[in-house]
Amino acid sequence: MTSNVNTTYIVTISCPNRPGIVAGISHGLAELGANITEAQQFDETESRRFFMRIVFDIPQGATDRPVLENEFSRLAREFSMAWSLTTTSVRPKVLILVSRFDHCLVDLLYRWRIGELAIDPVGIISNHPREIYRHLDLDGIPFHYLPITPATKPEQEARIIRIMEESDAELVVLARYMQILSNELSRKLSGRCINIHHSFLPGFKGARPYHQAFARGVKLIGATAHYVTSDLDEGPIIEQDVERISHADTPDDLVRKGRDIERRVLARAVRYHIERRAIMNGHKTIVFTS
């Protein structure tokens, strides 16, 4: 019996801007029987590059993936185009790294359980033992306790890489993982690792950021999610948010409000990544928000 279920694809592209790109892609998809259901594009004048995200349906049995890949390879040659193709049914495998503060971890797991984040958590790595999180139901997700000291850092990071490879993790999320990744690991994870920073960058860096903010009498606090690079906290920014505070707020109030911001900013950044809405563009990102 033939199924009438469509396959939904997402394709993202970036290339030097020139006339005819949209027409060429639309014509190629139409020739293959595709129905475009969503399309977003952006022409960045500074770099003269063109970015696009397209969602399209293919009737079951009409065109298979190799044919689609051949078509985009042809378009890539014509337009000097970088492209990525995936189906919406694919749930990216995600490895989550966390330290003592677990609010972002808890939030990600909750959104995963209720179906808000279409991910497949394949492991949790922490530099603290499982007992720290004994109140959490990890729902069978493998937990890896990897203690770290300056002397054991290379060995610990080698184990992180090994766990990634063994679990086929496509994305690493630093959910308040309070360890600085080495340049080597950062380069290896380029474009595949998202960090949440407890500041609306640029801002108060280092220890006790909310206490620093309190001492300066700030009126806004925020959080920043960005791709990890070898430049500490300088990677391409995916998402940011802020919340207004007042002179009546204590440092504990700032911490409480800051945790809320961190949770929602990280969740949005992860969703933008897995839905192929974030495209790296040098030191910046193009984010086609929903």
Side-chain angles (χ1 to χ4, degrees):
M1 181 180 295
T2 302
S3 171
N4 293 321
V5 177
N6 294 344
T7 302
T8 302
Y9 290 90
I10 302 173
V11 64
T12 58
I13 71 164
S14 66
C15 60
N17 192 29
R18 51 166 278 194
I21 300 172
V22 175
I25 295 172
S26 300
H27 177 75
L29 288 174
E31 288 292 304
L32 296 177
N35 175 44
I36 296 176
T37 59
E38 182 181 347
Q40 294 170 287
Q41 66 188 63
F42 177 67
D43 171 20
E44 189 188 58
T45 56
E46 181 182 359
S47 63
R48 296 183 179 179
R49 291 193 65 82
F50 177 82
F51 301 85
M52 194 169 191
R53 176 183 183 270
I54 304 173
V55 182
F56 60 94
D57 291 338
I58 295 286
Q60 189 72 25
T63 300
D64 58 18
R65 181 163 182 150
V67 174
L68 285 170
E69 291 176 343
N70 287 337
E71 175 62 15
F72 281 108
S73 294
R74 182 190 68 79
L75 291 166
R77 292 190 295 271
E78 180 179 354
F79 295 107
S80 301
M81 189 174 77
W83 60 279
S84 173
L85 179 71
T86 188
T87 64
T88 55
S89 62
V90 171
R91 297 174 65 90
K93 295 181 178 180
V94 177
L95 189 63
I96 304 174
L97 276 61
V98 63
S99 291
R100 182 176 295 274
F101 299 112
D102 62 5
H103 53 287
C104 288
L105 169 65
V106 171
D107 185 72
L108 290 174
L109 294 180
Y110 172 74
R111 294 175 192 267
W112 160 64
R113 287 191 179 106
I114 66 173
E116 184 178 318
L117 279 180
I119 60 175
D120 181 10
V122 293
I124 297 169
I125 294 176
S126 179
N127 56 320
H128 295 278
R130 177 68 176 90
E131 290 72 27
I132 294 291
Y133 317 97
R134 57 184 173 272
H135 58 290
L136 298 184
D137 176 11
L138 301 184
D139 207 9
I141 302 170
F143 182 89
H144 307 273
Y145 170 42
L146 303 184
I148 185 171
T149 67
T152 63
K153 187 181 182 73
E155 177 186 352
Q156 193 251 18
E157 290 195 342
R159 292 184 63 188
I160 292 175
I161 294 173
R162 190 158 59 246
I163 292 169
M164 283 184 59
E165 293 172 345
E166 291 173 350
S167 63
D168 292 324
E170 304 166 47
L171 175 66
V172 174
V173 178
L174 307 184
R176 289 306 303 272
Y177 180 65
M178 307 304 290
Q179 297 292 322
I180 298 174
L181 303 187
S182 68
N183 289 344
E184 178 183 359
L185 184 56
S186 296
R187 283 192 294 269
K188 188 175 184 65
L189 298 179
S190 177
R192 299 190 296 148
C193 183
I194 296 175
N195 184 37
I196 183 67
H197 192 280
H198 46 218
S199 179
F200 186 72
L201 295 176
F204 301 103
K205 300 181 181 181
R208 297 165 65 86
Y210 293 112
H211 292 75
Q212 295 181 50
F214 176 76
R216 292 288 300 274
V218 302
K219 299 299 182 282
L220 288 173
I221 59 173
T224 300
H226 62 90
Y227 285 114
V228 169
T229 66
S230 56
D231 294 324
L232 180 63
D233 299 325
E234 298 295 334
I237 293 171
I238 306 170
E239 177 65 350
Q240 294 180 293
D241 204 351
V242 295
E243 185 164 330
R244 184 163 292 279
I245 61 172
S246 78
H247 60 275
D249 286 310
T250 67
D252 286 344
D253 292 329
L254 271 62
V255 171
R256 171 177 54 81
K257 293 181 178 181
R259 286 173 179 161
D260 286 340
I261 306 171
E262 291 164 12
R263 282 190 286 254
R264 63 180 185 255
V265 169
L266 181 59
R268 285 201 295 261
V270 171
R271 182 171 65 84
Y272 292 157
H273 178 89
I274 65 174
E275 293 180 359
R276 305 301 193 267
R277 296 181 180 277
I279 306 174
M280 292 181 64
N281 179 31
H283 297 296
K284 301 187 294 183
T285 58
I286 306 300
V287 181
F288 294 117
T289 58
S290 56

